[in-house]
Amino acid sequence: MSYVIEMLNIRKEFPGIVANDNITLQVKQGEIHALLGENGAGKSTLMNVLFGLYQPEKGEIKVRGESVKITDPNVANRLGIGMVHQHFMLVDTFTVTENIILGSEPRKKGTVDIKKAEKEVERLSQLYGLRVDPKAKIRDISVGMQQRVEILKTLYRGAEILIFDEPTAVLTPQEIKELIEIMRVLIREGKSIILITHKLKEIMQVCDRCTVIRKGEGIGTVNVPDTNPNELASLMVGREVTFSTEKQPAQPKEVTLAIQDLNVKDARHVDMVKGLNLKVNAGEIVGLAGVDGNGQSELIEAITGLRKVDSGEVMLNGKSITNLTPRKVTEAGISHIPQDRHRFGLVLDFPIGENMVLQTYHHEPFSKKGVLRYKEIYNKAKALIEEYDVRTPSVYTKARALSGGNQQKAIIGREVDRSPDLIIAAQPTRGLDVGAIEFIHKKLIEERDKGRAVLLLSFELDEIMNLSDRIAVMFGGSIVAEVKPEDTTEQELGLLMAGSKQQKAGGQ
Ligand SMILES: Nc1ncnc2c1ncn2[C@@H]1O[C@H](COP(=O)(O)OP(=O)(O)OP(=O)(O)O)[C@@H](O)[C@H]1O
Ligand SMILES: [Mg+2]
């Protein structure tokens, strides 16, 4: 049996926590090997050890049968190991090509040979079907393209073994299809892949084998054709997981959010929201379905004060909140679970405890006469961390050191706990494991039953269908249809989202 990678009995500790305890992972040449485990189980840590970002306290790593010491990412690169991180590591103001060659620039007479670099990038992108615009700046391109840049970056450095840390969490369904195709091409060209994902469907679809870890310990490796999503879920969580959420019919009450004839432009002054009308009542969950880029982000930014409204009105409980500052919108009674947790959700270098009161620290009991009361803050944070099962060594740990999914759970806990009138949940379960998704879905339904209005934005049609009481379909900047989940199918929703089927909007 030829293994390209063997990680044997790896142990990695952080202050207060053993992130990897005696984990073994063996990857065969030419396979796609899934790494599965709950949020905080230790997946990213294990991969960071393989990529030379962390040194293990114990254990051995073999590459193609030879024992190696991977002291830093340059050594990993030389061994043919490349990594696409959970949170991208690109320089925003650099071009695609500049990012790809960063640190390995081809030189001619002492200066960077950008022509040569562009040619090589072009060649690789053709070979693997990785569409990019070599001259575009990172900040101007889609998340999907940024990810392709990260993949090209590893290939440019000669990677033979690619580590993908939750690549599909940030992608739209269309982009996921493309990535899966790209992974297949990579395998055909002789590469091996380690794939971290929480989406069991993806494991079933593309992976050959799957190694499961739980709370830092290895549980075992299974052949994917011999298993099923239920078994995988119970292996990783250690109990049965239900995939659909039970809920009673909604009891909608008064109108909480009313949007009238709203128009919003994006950063390039293109009309993204066009004459949009939408109502969300207290006590109901309205799912916003749509293909990415049809104005959903701009709509949510406009409601929450992050983007200017061009014309039209946003009303909360009968009062206009149009063009208020984000803080005023928050104080008016809106909670926001943002799509981009790093840009809007957390202050990464603050302790997680302080992050739990980001919206409320200037109020009693967390401050008095302008002085912060840390005891109150940390007591609240401890309670929330407990309730939402945020796995962290302590409340004093910096937000940056939490695993991706635990950062997300912390934001959800903070936003839901404020008892707002309206919760805007944008991709709330992005990056969460199946158990955590189940929990968050239950929470959102509970909030609905307490009489909150919930506006849910999700690219996952399962989630929209399972959770929504009413689905509003957004296409081309407006709501083109409103349907009840029980009266529709994913196929029909797909057609509505593609704009190929129109229905009169407006019915409640
Ligand atoms: N740099 C760090 N300093 C301190 N603790 C850390 C650091 N990196 C990770 N940890 C801790 O190690 C544990 C494992 O984290 P890791 O990021 O590996 O989880 P994960 O399996 O990738 O989870 P997720 O699915 O949420 O991304 C967590 O408890 C996390 O808080
Ligand atoms: Mg991770």
Side-chain angles (χ1 to χ4, degrees), residues 75-228:
V75 176
N77 283 332
R78 279 203 292 281
L79 290 166
I81 300 169
M83 179 156 178
V84 175
H85 294 272
Q86 190 164 359
H87 301 112
F88 299 157
M89 298 191 170
L90 298 168
V91 185
D92 249 22
T93 50
F94 280 21
T95 67
V96 165
T97 304
E98 285 164 351
N99 267 282
I100 292 172
I101 63 176
L102 192 66
S104 317
E105 295 86 353
R107 291 189 183 268
K108 202 162 87 182
K109 295 185 194 140
T111 57
V112 176
D113 188 351
I114 198 82
K115 283 265 146 43
K116 186 171 172 203
E118 275 171 2
K119 262 204 195 122
E120 177 61 5
V121 170
E122 181 63 32
R123 187 186 73 81
L124 288 169
S125 104
Q126 290 277 334
L127 177 60
Y128 295 101
L130 289 155
R131 288 180 300 104
V132 294
D133 175 356
K135 295 195 170 89
K137 294 236 162 79
I138 295 300
R139 59 162 185 243
D140 296 330
I141 63 178
S142 69
V143 170
M145 193 178 286
Q146 291 181 15
Q147 186 173 69
R148 294 196 285 276
V149 173
E150 289 272 17
I151 300 172
L152 280 167
K153 205 170 156 178
T154 67
L155 294 170
Y156 183 82
R157 287 162 177 70
E160 291 297 322
I161 300 129
L162 286 94
I163 305 166
F164 287 112
D165 193 351
E166 283 192 56
T168 60
V170 293
L171 299 182
T172 63
Q174 181 52 36
E175 289 171 329
I176 293 176
K177 271 195 203 144
E178 286 177 39
L179 178 67
I180 286 179
E181 205 34 55
I182 289 164
M183 288 196 282
R184 292 199 166 120
V185 177
L186 288 166
I187 294 297
R188 211 181 306 143
E189 295 295 320
K191 314 282 183 197
S192 309
I193 295 177
I194 303 174
L195 173 68
I196 300 180
T197 177
H198 290 293
K199 298 181 188 170
L200 305 174
K201 260 198 264 176
E202 288 168 9
I203 297 183
M204 297 308 298
Q205 201 183 346
V206 289
C207 296
D208 300 292
R209 297 192 307 145
C210 175
T211 293
V212 183
I213 61 181
R214 195 195 302 156
K215 300 196 168 132
E217 287 177 44
I219 296 296
T221 300
V222 291
N223 281 325
V224 171
D226 304 335
T227 186
N228 58 60

Side-chain angles (χ1 to χ4, degrees), residues 209-494:
R209 297 192 307 145
C210 175
T211 293
V212 183
I213 61 181
R214 195 195 302 156
K215 300 196 168 132
E217 287 177 44
I219 296 296
T221 300
V222 291
N223 281 325
V224 171
D226 304 335
T227 186
N228 58 60
N230 283 318
E231 187 188 39
L232 287 175
S234 46
L235 276 176
M236 73 181 250
V237 184
R239 63 171 170 92
E240 293 286 320
V241 178
T242 49
F243 286 95
S244 72
T245 323
E246 299 280 319
K247 67 176 195 314
Q248 298 301 314
Q251 312 277 337
K253 305 222 161 51
E254 71 284 0
V255 176
T256 302
L257 176 73
I259 300 175
Q260 288 152 13
D261 301 320
L262 192 74
N263 289 290
V264 183
K265 293 188 193 323
D266 70 4
R268 294 173 191 171
H269 299 285
V270 180
D271 293 309
M272 290 305 286
V273 177
K274 301 176 201 166
L276 181 137
N277 291 287
L278 179 68
K279 285 192 174 121
V280 185
N281 293 54
E284 70 167 348
I285 300 178
V286 173
L288 196 59
V291 176
D292 192 23
N294 278 280
Q296 300 94 319
S297 311
E298 288 79 8
L299 169 64
I300 286 178
E301 287 167 11
I303 302 172
T304 52
L306 292 165
R307 182 175 293 281
K308 215 179 136 304
V309 167
D310 216 37
S311 65
E313 202 80 69
V314 183
M315 314 274 286
L316 187 73
N317 300 323
K319 283 196 208 111
S320 173
I321 54 162
T322 318
N323 284 332
L324 294 186
T325 59
R327 159 115 327 142
K328 291 242 165 75
V329 170
T330 304
E331 309 241 305
I334 296 185
S335 271
H336 179 205
I337 301 163
Q339 274 194 68
D340 185 338
R341 60 179 168 242
H342 279 183
R343 262 174 75 201
F344 299 120
L346 293 169
V347 184
L348 290 171
D349 287 318
F350 277 21
I352 189 64
E354 287 168 42
N355 270 284
M356 300 310 277
V357 297
L358 274 191
Q359 327 286 18
T360 43
Y361 68 87
H362 51 295
H363 289 305
E364 287 198 30
F366 307 123
S367 57
K368 220 172 183 175
K369 297 191 182 124
V371 181
L372 289 177
R373 299 164 85 202
Y374 285 98
K375 192 160 165 253
E376 303 290 342
I377 291 175
Y378 280 98
N379 280 344
K380 179 76 201 174
K382 277 180 195 150
L384 278 176
I385 281 169
E386 170 90 26
E387 183 182 350
Y388 284 82
D389 190 24
V390 179
R391 300 193 189 165
T392 172
S394 89
V395 277
Y396 307 105
T397 307
K398 279 187 185 170
R400 188 184 296 287
L402 263 63
S403 81
N406 283 301
Q407 293 176 350
Q408 182 73 5
K409 286 195 266 179
I411 295 173
I412 297 177
R414 178 186 75 204
E415 294 301 317
V416 170
D417 181 69
R418 286 172 37 226
S419 305
D421 298 320
L422 171 71
I423 300 174
I424 299 178
Q427 319 289 356
T429 57
R430 191 173 250 190
L432 295 192
D433 66 55
V434 288
I437 291 176
E438 189 186 16
F439 175 77
I440 296 303
H441 283 177
K442 276 200 193 126
K443 270 281 171 203
L444 288 174
I445 292 167
E446 257 174 57
E447 291 303 307
R448 176 201 79 168
D449 292 342
K450 285 188 211 156
R452 320 247 183 274
V454 180
L455 180 61
L456 167 76
L457 169 64
S458 176
F459 295 139
E460 308 265 347
L461 284 187
D462 301 7
E463 183 162 58
I464 292 274
M465 292 286 266
N466 259 325
L467 221 51
S468 310
D469 301 305
R470 193 151 58 88
I471 302 172
V473 182
M474 193 161 176
F475 176 76
S478 49
I479 304 297
V480 294
E482 278 189 17
V483 289
K484 298 243 173 195
E486 58 274 21
D487 303 333
T488 189
T489 60
E490 290 200 8
Q491 277 78 0
E492 191 192 24
L493 266 187

